[in-house]
Amino acid sequence: PYLTGLVAGAFTISSLYQVFGFTQLRPVAHFALLVSLCCMLTVPIPLLLHLGHAERAFNAMITPHTTSAFAVFGYAAGFYIILLILETWFVFRPHIVHQAQQQTGIMRWFYSILSLGSDDLSEKAMSYDRKWLFTLAIIGIPGAHGLHGYVGFVFGSLKSREWWSSDLMPVIFLLSAIISGTAFVIVLYVLSCKLRKVSIDLSCMKVMAYALWGFMMFTLLIEGVEFLSLVYRGREGIDVILEFVKGPLVVPFFILQFGVGSVLPLAIITFLIWSGTSGKALVVGITGSAILVLLAVLMMRYNVVIG
């Protein structure tokens, strides 16, 4: 669930540039798309390892059971992986063509195959590529968010678990996915700039900080409403939840998830925006907040799935 969230969040950052024209996000747009693809390719690994016989996963695809949420999830995930691969290919096609022309030996052969025989970089060809990119990005927005909302649906549809059985579970998973993916891109972008010894684009960092701040406000509100509704309804099983929240889950739920991981970074970003901070202090503050947000979402997954 955590990795799937990173997929949706990273794709959101890429789409803000590709579809909605946030030019400030240009330095991270293609990078975020790669992050989304890498996470998506990693998503099935824990599930396949958990099966014991990973090869049996293909049975759900070959002989699907239409009433099984996980059987349908296999098709949704497969479709989204194909879409991500196509969009990534169109984004990096100019780079692939240049490498095919410049490299020698086995690498030239590798990039030639990767170019799929398309080496036309004329304005007409690039215009055609941009149209495909825009179309794939538009399809990918509901695809990415629907994919992670579906993860929340899988949990929320189980009536045997009081804390899971909620209509708000898909929304909570989706919003927390967006903030975790945004935070992940921030951390990786800063790290990559340090490793490559290039300057960090402050306008790009500010836009990502605004996005993180906005989505965090919604996430905190929805999570609070969801938990309070569980307590207020007082259905059978709520006593067990309250017993755990007051006992073993005090630290991971109240202190780590809500306190350190949510309220603290929200306060830091609010102060940075309000005070007009810039330069190194802004980068350190936003990066630190992003790390805390990643911790919060990880604890949310732990509390819901394991805790």
Side-chain angles (χ1 to χ4, degrees):
Y2 190 64
L3 288 168
T4 321
L6 297 179
V7 171
F11 191 86
T12 300
I13 293 296
S14 177
S15 297
L16 286 175
Y17 170 75
Q18 300 282 5
V19 178
F20 299 104
F22 283 75
T23 53
Q24 300 95 329
L25 294 174
R26 184 184 179 88
V28 296
H30 297 167
F31 180 62
L33 187 64
L34 273 181
V35 170
S36 184
L37 176 62
C38 290
C39 290
M40 191 64 216
L41 292 174
T42 314
V43 161
I45 294 175
L47 293 171
L48 294 175
L49 291 175
H50 185 69
L51 282 177
H53 282 276
E55 73 281 358
R56 293 183 182 174
F58 291 104
N59 292 345
M61 305 294 287
I62 299 168
T63 56
H65 202 303
T66 53
T67 59
S68 166
F70 261 97
V72 177
F73 183 78
Y75 284 100
F79 164 78
Y80 190 62
I81 288 175
I82 293 169
L83 187 141
L84 273 176
I85 291 172
L86 282 172
E87 188 171 350
T88 305
W89 184 80
F90 276 108
V91 163
F92 290 97
R93 194 177 74 83
H95 174 74
I96 293 168
V97 172
H98 286 311
Q99 291 298 313
Q101 293 169 349
Q102 294 171 5
Q103 296 287 345
T104 57
I106 192 168
M107 292 307 295
R108 183 185 181 90
W109 176 78
F110 170 73
Y111 279 109
S112 295
I113 292 175
L114 210 57
S115 69
L116 303 180
S118 175
D119 58 357
D120 185 5
L121 296 180
S122 64
E123 183 55 38
K124 183 179 178 181
M126 295 308 297
S127 174
Y128 183 77
D129 283 5
R130 284 191 291 270
K131 288 179 181 178
W132 268 106
L133 263 175
F134 185 75
T135 303
L136 290 169
I138 288 177
I139 297 171
I141 292 171
H145 299 105
L147 182 73
H148 198 67
Y150 195 86
V151 175
F153 163 75
V154 170
F155 285 100
S157 60
L158 294 174
K159 297 177 182 178
S160 57
R161 294 286 183 272
E162 178 64 29
W163 204 346
W164 293 1
S165 181
S166 169
D167 295 335
L168 288 174
M169 193 61 76
V171 181
I172 290 170
F173 265 74
L174 177 56
L175 288 172
S176 61
I178 294 173
I179 63 171
S180 66
T182 305
F184 195 49
V185 171
I186 290 172
V187 173
L188 290 182
Y189 172 62
V190 172
L191 186 62
S192 68
C193 286
K194 294 296 181 184
L195 291 173
R196 292 180 293 133
K197 296 180 180 178
V198 298
S199 59
I200 296 169
D201 191 311
L202 291 180
S203 63
C204 177
M205 287 290 288
K206 284 182 180 178
V207 172
M208 287 194 288
Y210 277 119
L212 187 61
W213 185 87
F215 285 117
M216 277 184 68
M217 293 289 286
F218 280 110
T219 306
L220 270 175
L221 178 65
I222 295 296
E223 285 188 13
V225 167
E226 191 260 350
F227 185 74
L228 287 174
S229 68
L230 282 175
V231 175
Y232 185 77
R233 281 181 295 172
R235 293 195 321 191
E236 184 181 357
I238 190 63
D239 294 336
V240 178
I241 294 176
L242 291 177
E243 183 182 334
F244 272 91
V245 169
K246 292 175 183 177
L249 291 182
V250 166
V251 173
F253 185 69
F254 285 112
I255 297 177
L256 292 179
Q257 182 183 332
F258 278 102
V260 176
S262 299
V263 176
L264 181 58
L266 196 62
I268 292 171
I269 296 174
T270 302
F271 175 77
L272 292 174
I273 295 171
W274 172 75
S275 62
T277 307
S278 61
K280 188 177 180 180
L282 179 71
V283 173
V284 172
I286 293 174
T287 307
S289 300
I291 292 171
L292 292 177
V293 169
L294 288 171
L295 170 67
V297 178
L298 181 63
M299 293 316 301
M300 179 264 177
R301 301 293 189 268
Y302 174 85
N303 293 329
V304 170
V305 179
I306 298 171

